[in-house]
Amino acid sequence: MDQKEKITIQRLGDNQNMARISKVERSTKESQVKVELNLDGTGKIEVDTGVPFFDHMLSQLGKHAGFDLSVKTSGDVEVDSHHTVEDTSLAVGQALREALGDKSGIRRFGDALVPLDEVIVQAAVDLSGRPYLVHRQPEIVELIGTFDTTLGKHIWESFVAEARIALHIRVIEGRNAHHVLEAQFKAVARALRDAVTLDSRVSGVPSTKGVL
């Protein structure tokens, strides 16, 4: 770990008592991030990253996944929003991985097809323990207000890297940039909602390897 980076992770409870809760603090010279995540929440969201459009997207992720999600980031947004968005996405990915614990009893796989007006997005996820992203979307305008839309894919790259999941996102149809990005967050949220769900028919870790 780089000397300039400090990461603190706390996991509360275990899968057996349903307390799938994690806290992550990530501190660098570019940002300070605090994330609290409850996989078995009710969609209670508190997000403040200093990047309003990104706040809106993270709120979609937590709400539609049914997670309780708290995110507080203080970053060098006076430079631009890249560091804040990247480091926050990494921390949210870490929080997901830690909250899942050993993944015993989960469904593991999830997928969703989500429309938003003229946009339709397909997302599929495997909580595999192996980071892999496939991302397909049409060209969209470079800015939504002041938000750099080229960060859209990078959010998922960062999230996947630390969550250690396989994630496929495909924008099947779309035109409006806001809708294109928002539908992705909603689709991923719904896919994650299924994948993290505890299934009474699953005994132990859902893998022939015995570990994920």
Side-chain angles (χ1 to χ4, degrees), residues 82 87 192 200:
H82 182 96
D87 290 347
L192 283 172
S200 60

Side-chain angles (χ1 to χ4, degrees), residues 50-205:
V51 183
F53 184 80
F54 186 44
D55 291 354
H56 180 43
M57 294 301 101
L58 289 178
S59 296
Q60 302 301 319
L61 184 68
K63 182 67 174 180
H64 293 285
F67 299 159
D68 289 345
L69 177 64
S70 172
V71 180
K72 176 63 178 177
T73 303
S74 175
D76 57 357
V77 291
E78 69 279 0
V79 176
D80 72 8
S81 59
H82 182 96
H83 297 146
T84 293
V85 169
E86 178 181 71
D87 290 347
T88 302
S89 301
L90 289 167
V92 172
Q94 288 175 322
L96 176 64
R97 185 177 81 244
E98 293 301 321
L100 282 167
D102 67 2
K103 304 176 186 174
S104 179
I106 63 168
R107 290 182 178 175
R108 175 178 170 178
F109 301 101
D111 65 272
L113 191 64
V114 170
L116 178 56
D117 295 347
E118 86 290 356
V119 175
I120 188 162
V121 174
Q122 183 180 44
V125 64
D126 176 10
L127 306 180
S128 60
R130 301 182 304 277
Y132 200 98
L133 174 68
V134 177
H135 184 270
R136 301 284 186 267
Q137 76 171 38
E139 290 189 15
I140 55 177
V141 296
E142 293 182 0
L143 292 175
I144 300 173
T146 60
F147 183 79
D148 179 1
T149 61
T150 64
L151 288 174
K153 182 178 181 180
H154 190 51
I155 290 169
W156 299 122
E157 289 172 334
S158 302
F159 175 72
V160 163
E162 289 297 339
R164 296 178 190 169
I165 63 175
L167 177 62
H168 288 242
I169 300 172
R170 182 163 61 109
V171 181
I172 299 171
E173 191 72 38
R175 181 181 68 254
N176 178 275
H178 188 136
H179 292 171
V180 167
L181 292 184
E182 183 172 338
Q184 290 178 48
F185 279 82
K186 288 179 174 177
V188 171
R190 295 299 298 191
L192 283 172
R193 185 175 185 145
D194 281 349
V196 307
T197 296
L198 294 169
D199 189 335
S200 60
R201 296 174 297 173
V202 177
S203 177
V205 177

Side-chain angles (χ1 to χ4, degrees), residues 11-45:
R11 185 167 186 273
L12 307 178
D14 54 44
N15 291 352
Q16 291 182 341
N17 63 24
M18 299 288 287
R20 298 187 298 167
I21 300 172
S22 64
K23 295 183 179 181
V24 171
E25 294 187 14
R26 184 183 187 92
S27 180
T28 74
K29 290 184 176 180
E30 298 165 344
S31 69
Q32 293 77 46
V33 186
K34 293 182 179 180
V35 176
E36 296 186 18
L37 176 65
N38 181 357
L39 298 183
D40 304 297
T42 59
K44 181 180 178 181
I45 310 299

